[in-house]
Amino acid sequence: MRLLSTRWVSATFLFCAATVPAFAQRDRVAAIDSRQTVAITGHVRPGANSANDLGIVADSFAFSGVTMLLKPSVAQKTDLETLLGEQQDPNSPQYHHWLTPEQFADRFAVSASDLTEIRAWLESQGFTVNGSARARNWVTFSGTAGQVRTALGTEIHRYAVNGETHYANAANPQVPVALATVVAGFRGLDDFRLKPRLRKPVAPQMTVSG
């Protein structure tokens, strides 16, 4: 699965007592036409393949919480990388001047207007919008497999993997072209979970002198 920059995500949780100057924010979402779509690649699990396929789930199959991840523009990402470096530089005026989620949103996230457009589109597809981040970098919604197939262009199937039954999207989700510049990806379209890597314990070494 595609992962967002750890530094970008962690920055949304930093707080600041200092005043941060306001930055003009450009809307990036134009008129949304659901007939013109583009795939968000890297979202099909390795186990979700034809060899493991048990068939499509019912249209009524419910998703209680899917997250649409939102991304900064190229200019915003560059600006953020610069700020993160300055926040760790003792010689910089921005040293340890952390941002509140709202300050992060106004400088590095989608605009408030774009977020409104995204929420409205999700609702127009029959989804229930559950909430969005204060930093405006994700939106959560609920719905059914039928709505996912219609809105995101992918069926949800069940798969038998290593003796377990899972559900997952059979193809990369799609979004309207107008949302391609703001949607980074999705979480919650499957129930596969990353398993922690087990490390073999290393026996302590002792140095004997004498």
Side-chain angles (χ1 to χ4, degrees):
M1 298 287 285
R2 178 175 299 169
L3 299 179
L4 297 182
S5 166
T6 301
R7 299 181 72 192
W8 173 57
V9 174
S10 63
T12 67
F13 300 101
L14 300 179
F15 290 83
C16 170
T19 301
V20 177
F23 290 84
Q25 203 166 29
R26 182 174 63 88
D27 294 338
R28 288 184 280 153
V29 177
I32 300 176
D33 184 351
S34 295
R35 297 170 298 179
Q36 300 179 5
T37 62
V38 61
I40 306 298
T41 59
H43 281 68
V44 178
R45 295 284 190 174
N49 56 57
S50 58
N52 299 329
D53 199 343
L54 298 177
I56 189 172
V57 304
D59 278 356
S60 59
F61 183 86
F63 289 90
S64 60
V66 178
T67 301
M68 174 187 281
L69 303 168
L70 307 177
K71 62 184 177 182
S73 67
V74 174
Q76 286 175 323
K77 185 175 180 180
T78 299
D79 188 19
L80 177 56
E81 291 293 331
T82 299
L83 176 62
L84 290 174
E86 292 173 345
Q87 288 176 331
Q88 302 302 322
D89 181 1
N91 297 317
S92 171
Q94 299 301 324
Y95 180 61
H96 283 189
H97 284 185
W98 314 126
L99 304 181
T100 66
E102 288 76 17
Q103 289 167 339
F104 177 93
D106 290 339
R107 186 170 176 181
F108 301 117
V110 300
S111 69
S113 176
D114 283 348
L115 181 60
T116 297
E117 292 292 330
I118 293 166
R119 292 173 63 105
W121 178 77
L122 288 169
E123 291 173 346
S124 75
Q125 302 303 302
F127 295 118
T128 298
V129 175
N130 302 324
S132 55
R134 291 166 59 193
R136 295 203 297 270
N137 58 354
W138 53 257
V139 179
T140 61
F141 60 94
S142 300
T144 66
Q147 291 166 336
V148 167
R149 185 183 68 251
T150 300
L152 303 181
T154 178
E155 295 178 344
I156 304 298
H157 286 221
R158 293 192 186 278
Y159 298 91
V161 182
N162 297 326
E164 299 177 346
T165 300
H166 295 274
Y167 66 84
N169 49 295
N172 284 309
Q174 300 179 42
V175 298
V177 172
L179 297 180
T181 61
V182 297
V183 176
F186 293 88
R187 291 177 181 167
L189 291 176
D190 64 74
D191 67 346
F192 285 95
R193 296 292 179 263
L194 293 176
K195 295 183 178 180
R197 295 180 179 178
L198 297 178
R199 294 185 177 182
K200 184 177 180 180
V202 178
Q205 296 181 350
M206 299 179 64
T207 301
V208 180
S209 60

PDB file of all heavy atoms in Angstrom, residues 81-101:
ATOM      1  N   GLU A  81       8.459  20.662   4.034  1.00  0.00           N
ATOM      2  CA  GLU A  81       9.779  20.085   4.273  1.00  0.00           C
ATOM      3  C   GLU A  81      10.750  21.154   4.767  1.00  0.00           C
ATOM      4  O   GLU A  81      11.568  20.907   5.651  1.00  0.00           O
ATOM      5  CB  GLU A  81      10.315  19.429   2.995  1.00  0.00           C
ATOM      6  CG  GLU A  81       9.559  18.177   2.567  1.00  0.00           C
ATOM      7  CD  GLU A  81       9.754  17.033   3.543  1.00  0.00           C
ATOM      8  OE1 GLU A  81      10.814  16.962   4.191  1.00  0.00           O
ATOM      9  OE2 GLU A  81       8.839  16.196   3.667  1.00  0.00           O
ATOM     10  N   THR A  82      10.638  22.353   4.206  1.00  0.00           N
ATOM     11  CA  THR A  82      11.487  23.458   4.646  1.00  0.00           C
ATOM     12  C   THR A  82      11.199  23.823   6.090  1.00  0.00           C
ATOM     13  O   THR A  82      12.113  23.992   6.908  1.00  0.00           O
ATOM     14  CB  THR A  82      11.271  24.684   3.744  1.00  0.00           C
ATOM     15  OG1 THR A  82      11.634  24.360   2.396  1.00  0.00           O
ATOM     16  CG2 THR A  82      12.126  25.869   4.215  1.00  0.00           C
ATOM     17  N   LEU A  83       9.921  23.941   6.425  1.00  0.00           N
ATOM     18  CA  LEU A  83       9.537  24.305   7.796  1.00  0.00           C
ATOM     19  C   LEU A  83       9.994  23.244   8.794  1.00  0.00           C
ATOM     20  O   LEU A  83      10.501  23.576   9.872  1.00  0.00           O
ATOM     21  CB  LEU A  83       8.035  24.507   7.891  1.00  0.00           C
ATOM     22  CG  LEU A  83       7.503  24.806   9.297  1.00  0.00           C
ATOM     23  CD1 LEU A  83       8.090  26.106   9.842  1.00  0.00           C
ATOM     24  CD2 LEU A  83       5.985  24.860   9.310  1.00  0.00           C
ATOM     25  N   LEU A  84       9.823  21.962   8.453  1.00  0.00           N
ATOM     26  CA  LEU A  84      10.229  20.896   9.365  1.00  0.00           C
ATOM     27  C   LEU A  84      11.721  20.955   9.658  1.00  0.00           C
ATOM     28  O   LEU A  84      12.165  20.711  10.782  1.00  0.00           O
ATOM     29  CB  LEU A  84       9.860  19.536   8.778  1.00  0.00           C
ATOM     30  CG  LEU A  84       8.355  19.214   8.725  1.00  0.00           C
ATOM     31  CD1 LEU A  84       8.115  17.904   7.986  1.00  0.00           C
ATOM     32  CD2 LEU A  84       7.757  19.162  10.112  1.00  0.00           C
ATOM     33  N   GLY A  85      12.498  21.299   8.638  1.00  0.00           N
ATOM     34  CA  GLY A  85      13.935  21.457   8.854  1.00  0.00           C
ATOM     35  C   GLY A  85      14.240  22.633   9.768  1.00  0.00           C
ATOM     36  O   GLY A  85      15.094  22.538  10.656  1.00  0.00           O
ATOM     37  N   GLU A  86      13.532  23.738   9.570  1.00  0.00           N
ATOM     38  CA  GLU A  86      13.738  24.923  10.397  1.00  0.00           C
ATOM     39  C   GLU A  86      13.331  24.669  11.850  1.00  0.00           C
ATOM     40  O   GLU A  86      13.974  25.182  12.776  1.00  0.00           O
ATOM     41  CB  GLU A  86      12.935  26.093   9.822  1.00  0.00           C
ATOM     42  CG  GLU A  86      13.445  26.581   8.475  1.00  0.00           C
ATOM     43  CD  GLU A  86      12.529  27.626   7.863  1.00  0.00           C
ATOM     44  OE1 GLU A  86      11.375  27.758   8.320  1.00  0.00           O
ATOM     45  OE2 GLU A  86      12.971  28.318   6.914  1.00  0.00           O
ATOM     46  N   GLN A  87      12.275  23.873  12.041  1.00  0.00           N
ATOM     47  CA  GLN A  87      11.819  23.591  13.406  1.00  0.00           C
ATOM     48  C   GLN A  87      12.838  22.773  14.202  1.00  0.00           C
ATOM     49  O   GLN A  87      12.800  22.765  15.432  1.00  0.00           O
ATOM     50  CB  GLN A  87      10.477  22.854  13.359  1.00  0.00           C
ATOM     51  CG  GLN A  87       9.308  23.732  12.937  1.00  0.00           C
ATOM     52  CD  GLN A  87       8.022  22.939  12.804  1.00  0.00           C
ATOM     53  OE1 GLN A  87       8.041  21.744  12.508  1.00  0.00           O
ATOM     54  NE2 GLN A  87       6.897  23.596  13.024  1.00  0.00           N
ATOM     55  N   GLN A  88      13.729  22.103  13.503  1.00  0.00           N
ATOM     56  CA  GLN A  88      14.766  21.307  14.177  1.00  0.00           C
ATOM     57  C   GLN A  88      16.120  22.014  14.199  1.00  0.00           C
ATOM     58  O   GLN A  88      17.095  21.465  14.720  1.00  0.00           O
ATOM     59  CB  GLN A  88      14.910  19.953  13.462  1.00  0.00           C
ATOM     60  CG  GLN A  88      13.621  19.143  13.400  1.00  0.00           C
ATOM     61  CD  GLN A  88      13.026  18.851  14.768  1.00  0.00           C
ATOM     62  OE1 GLN A  88      13.765  18.600  15.721  1.00  0.00           O
ATOM     63  NE2 GLN A  88      11.708  18.894  14.876  1.00  0.00           N
ATOM     64  N   ASP A  89      16.167  23.215  13.655  1.00  0.00           N
ATOM     65  CA  ASP A  89      17.421  23.979  13.593  1.00  0.00           C
ATOM     66  C   ASP A  89      17.460  25.012  14.720  1.00  0.00           C
ATOM     67  O   ASP A  89      16.699  25.981  14.703  1.00  0.00           O
ATOM     68  CB  ASP A  89      17.513  24.684  12.236  1.00  0.00           C
ATOM     69  CG  ASP A  89      18.806  25.480  12.078  1.00  0.00           C
ATOM     70  OD1 ASP A  89      19.647  25.473  13.007  1.00  0.00           O
ATOM     71  OD2 ASP A  89      18.975  26.108  11.010  1.00  0.00           O
ATOM     72  N   PRO A  90      18.365  24.856  15.700  1.00  0.00           N
ATOM     73  CA  PRO A  90      18.419  25.805  16.825  1.00  0.00           C
ATOM     74  C   PRO A  90      18.700  27.239  16.400  1.00  0.00           C
ATOM     75  O   PRO A  90      18.394  28.179  17.133  1.00  0.00           O
ATOM     76  CB  PRO A  90      19.558  25.253  17.697  1.00  0.00           C
ATOM     77  CG  PRO A  90      19.658  23.805  17.318  1.00  0.00           C
ATOM     78  CD  PRO A  90      19.320  23.743  15.854  1.00  0.00           C
ATOM     79  N   ASN A  91      19.252  27.416  15.222  1.00  0.00           N
ATOM     80  CA  ASN A  91      19.575  28.762  14.742  1.00  0.00           C
ATOM     81  C   ASN A  91      18.426  29.410  13.969  1.00  0.00           C
ATOM     82  O   ASN A  91      18.554  30.552  13.532  1.00  0.00           O
ATOM     83  CB  ASN A  91      20.823  28.706  13.849  1.00  0.00           C
ATOM     84  CG  ASN A  91      22.055  28.238  14.606  1.00  0.00           C
ATOM     85  OD1 ASN A  91      22.301  28.668  15.741  1.00  0.00           O
ATOM     86  ND2 ASN A  91      22.843  27.359  13.991  1.00  0.00           N
ATOM     87  N   SER A  92      17.341  28.684  13.799  1.00  0.00           N
ATOM     88  CA  SER A  92      16.215  29.213  13.029  1.00  0.00           C
ATOM     89  C   SER A  92      15.183  29.858  13.942  1.00  0.00           C
ATOM     90  O   SER A  92      14.934  29.380  15.052  1.00  0.00           O
ATOM     91  CB  SER A  92      15.543  28.079  12.246  1.00  0.00           C
ATOM     92  OG  SER A  92      14.326  28.527  11.667  1.00  0.00           O
ATOM     93  N   PRO A  93      14.555  30.970  13.494  1.00  0.00           N
ATOM     94  CA  PRO A  93      13.475  31.585  14.277  1.00  0.00           C
ATOM     95  C   PRO A  93      12.287  30.631  14.471  1.00  0.00           C
ATOM     96  O   PRO A  93      11.474  30.830  15.371  1.00  0.00           O
ATOM     97  CB  PRO A  93      13.067  32.793  13.424  1.00  0.00           C
ATOM     98  CG  PRO A  93      14.249  33.073  12.564  1.00  0.00           C
ATOM     99  CD  PRO A  93      14.874  31.743  12.280  1.00  0.00           C
ATOM    100  N   GLN A  94      12.190  29.593  13.617  1.00  0.00           N
ATOM    101  CA  GLN A  94      11.091  28.642  13.718  1.00  0.00           C
ATOM    102  C   GLN A  94      11.431  27.431  14.589  1.00  0.00           C
ATOM    103  O   GLN A  94      10.640  26.490  14.682  1.00  0.00           O
ATOM    104  CB  GLN A  94      10.710  28.144  12.307  1.00  0.00           C
ATOM    105  CG  GLN A  94      10.240  29.224  11.370  1.00  0.00           C
ATOM    106  CD  GLN A  94       9.016  29.960  11.895  1.00  0.00           C
ATOM    107  OE1 GLN A  94       8.150  29.369  12.528  1.00  0.00           O
ATOM    108  NE2 GLN A  94       8.946  31.255  11.643  1.00  0.00           N
ATOM    109  N   TYR A  95      12.567  27.461  15.258  1.00  0.00           N
ATOM    110  CA  TYR A  95      13.011  26.327  16.073  1.00  0.00           C
ATOM    111  C   TYR A  95      11.975  25.994  17.148  1.00  0.00           C
ATOM    112  O   TYR A  95      11.620  26.840  17.967  1.00  0.00           O
ATOM    113  CB  TYR A  95      14.349  26.652  16.723  1.00  0.00           C
ATOM    114  CG  TYR A  95      14.910  25.549  17.595  1.00  0.00           C
ATOM    115  CD1 TYR A  95      15.218  24.301  17.061  1.00  0.00           C
ATOM    116  CD2 TYR A  95      15.124  25.755  18.959  1.00  0.00           C
ATOM    117  CE1 TYR A  95      15.731  23.285  17.855  1.00  0.00           C
ATOM    118  CE2 TYR A  95      15.653  24.745  19.765  1.00  0.00           C
ATOM    119  CZ  TYR A  95      15.946  23.505  19.204  1.00  0.00           C
ATOM    120  OH  TYR A  95      16.455  22.506  19.997  1.00  0.00           O
ATOM    121  N   HIS A  96      11.466  24.781  17.100  1.00  0.00           N
ATOM    122  CA  HIS A  96      10.466  24.272  18.051  1.00  0.00           C
ATOM    123  C   HIS A  96       9.196  25.117  18.087  1.00  0.00           C
ATOM    124  O   HIS A  96       8.489  25.137  19.101  1.00  0.00           O
ATOM    125  CB  HIS A  96      11.068  24.136  19.449  1.00  0.00           C
ATOM    126  CG  HIS A  96      11.943  22.929  19.586  1.00  0.00           C
ATOM    127  ND1 HIS A  96      12.439  22.508  20.790  1.00  0.00           N
ATOM    128  CD2 HIS A  96      12.410  22.035  18.657  1.00  0.00           C
ATOM    129  CE1 HIS A  96      13.183  21.416  20.606  1.00  0.00           C
ATOM    130  NE2 HIS A  96      13.174  21.114  19.322  1.00  0.00           N
ATOM    131  N   HIS A  97       8.900  25.820  17.022  1.00  0.00           N
ATOM    132  CA  HIS A  97       7.638  26.537  16.902  1.00  0.00           C
ATOM    133  C   HIS A  97       6.660  25.614  16.165  1.00  0.00           C
ATOM    134  O   HIS A  97       6.586  25.621  14.945  1.00  0.00           O
ATOM    135  CB  HIS A  97       7.821  27.858  16.146  1.00  0.00           C
ATOM    136  CG  HIS A  97       8.449  28.922  16.979  1.00  0.00           C
ATOM    137  ND1 HIS A  97       8.616  30.224  16.535  1.00  0.00           N
ATOM    138  CD2 HIS A  97       8.947  28.894  18.239  1.00  0.00           C
ATOM    139  CE1 HIS A  97       9.208  30.944  17.490  1.00  0.00           C
ATOM    140  NE2 HIS A  97       9.406  30.146  18.528  1.00  0.00           N
ATOM    141  N   TRP A  98       5.931  24.813  16.938  1.00  0.00           N
ATOM    142  CA  TRP A  98       5.058  23.806  16.343  1.00  0.00           C
ATOM    143  C   TRP A  98       3.738  24.424  15.882  1.00  0.00           C
ATOM    144  O   TRP A  98       3.323  25.486  16.364  1.00  0.00           O
ATOM    145  CB  TRP A  98       4.795  22.674  17.333  1.00  0.00           C
ATOM    146  CG  TRP A  98       6.007  22.161  18.037  1.00  0.00           C
ATOM    147  CD1 TRP A  98       6.198  22.046  19.379  1.00  0.00           C
ATOM    148  CD2 TRP A  98       7.222  21.684  17.437  1.00  0.00           C
ATOM    149  NE1 TRP A  98       7.441  21.526  19.653  1.00  0.00           N
ATOM    150  CE2 TRP A  98       8.095  21.296  18.488  1.00  0.00           C
ATOM    151  CE3 TRP A  98       7.666  21.547  16.118  1.00  0.00           C
ATOM    152  CZ2 TRP A  98       9.363  20.777  18.266  1.00  0.00           C
ATOM    153  CZ3 TRP A  98       8.941  21.029  15.888  1.00  0.00           C
ATOM    154  CH2 TRP A  98       9.763  20.648  16.949  1.00  0.00           C
ATOM    155  N   LEU A  99       3.068  23.726  14.987  1.00  0.00           N
ATOM    156  CA  LEU A  99       1.805  24.198  14.438  1.00  0.00           C
ATOM    157  C   LEU A  99       0.616  23.508  15.099  1.00  0.00           C
ATOM    158  O   LEU A  99       0.680  22.329  15.428  1.00  0.00           O
ATOM    159  CB  LEU A  99       1.734  23.926  12.933  1.00  0.00           C
ATOM    160  CG  LEU A  99       2.853  24.495  12.057  1.00  0.00           C
ATOM    161  CD1 LEU A  99       2.579  24.122  10.604  1.00  0.00           C
ATOM    162  CD2 LEU A  99       2.971  25.986  12.219  1.00  0.00           C
ATOM    163  N   THR A 100      -0.450  24.247  15.276  1.00  0.00           N
ATOM    164  CA  THR A 100      -1.711  23.626  15.652  1.00  0.00           C
ATOM    165  C   THR A 100      -2.279  22.950  14.397  1.00  0.00           C
ATOM    166  O   THR A 100      -1.875  23.277  13.269  1.00  0.00           O
ATOM    167  CB  THR A 100      -2.721  24.666  16.160  1.00  0.00           C
ATOM    168  OG1 THR A 100      -3.071  25.530  15.071  1.00  0.00           O
ATOM    169  CG2 THR A 100      -2.152  25.468  17.318  1.00  0.00           C
ATOM    170  N   PRO A 101      -3.228  22.017  14.549  1.00  0.00           N
ATOM    171  CA  PRO A 101      -3.841  21.415  13.366  1.00  0.00           C
ATOM    172  C   PRO A 101      -4.467  22.449  12.432  1.00  0.00           C
ATOM    173  O   PRO A 101      -4.386  22.312  11.209  1.00  0.00           O
ATOM    174  CB  PRO A 101      -4.902  20.484  13.963  1.00  0.00           C
ATOM    175  CG  PRO A 101      -4.344  20.092  15.289  1.00  0.00           C
ATOM    176  CD  PRO A 101      -3.673  21.340  15.798  1.00  0.00           C
TER     177      PRO A 101
END
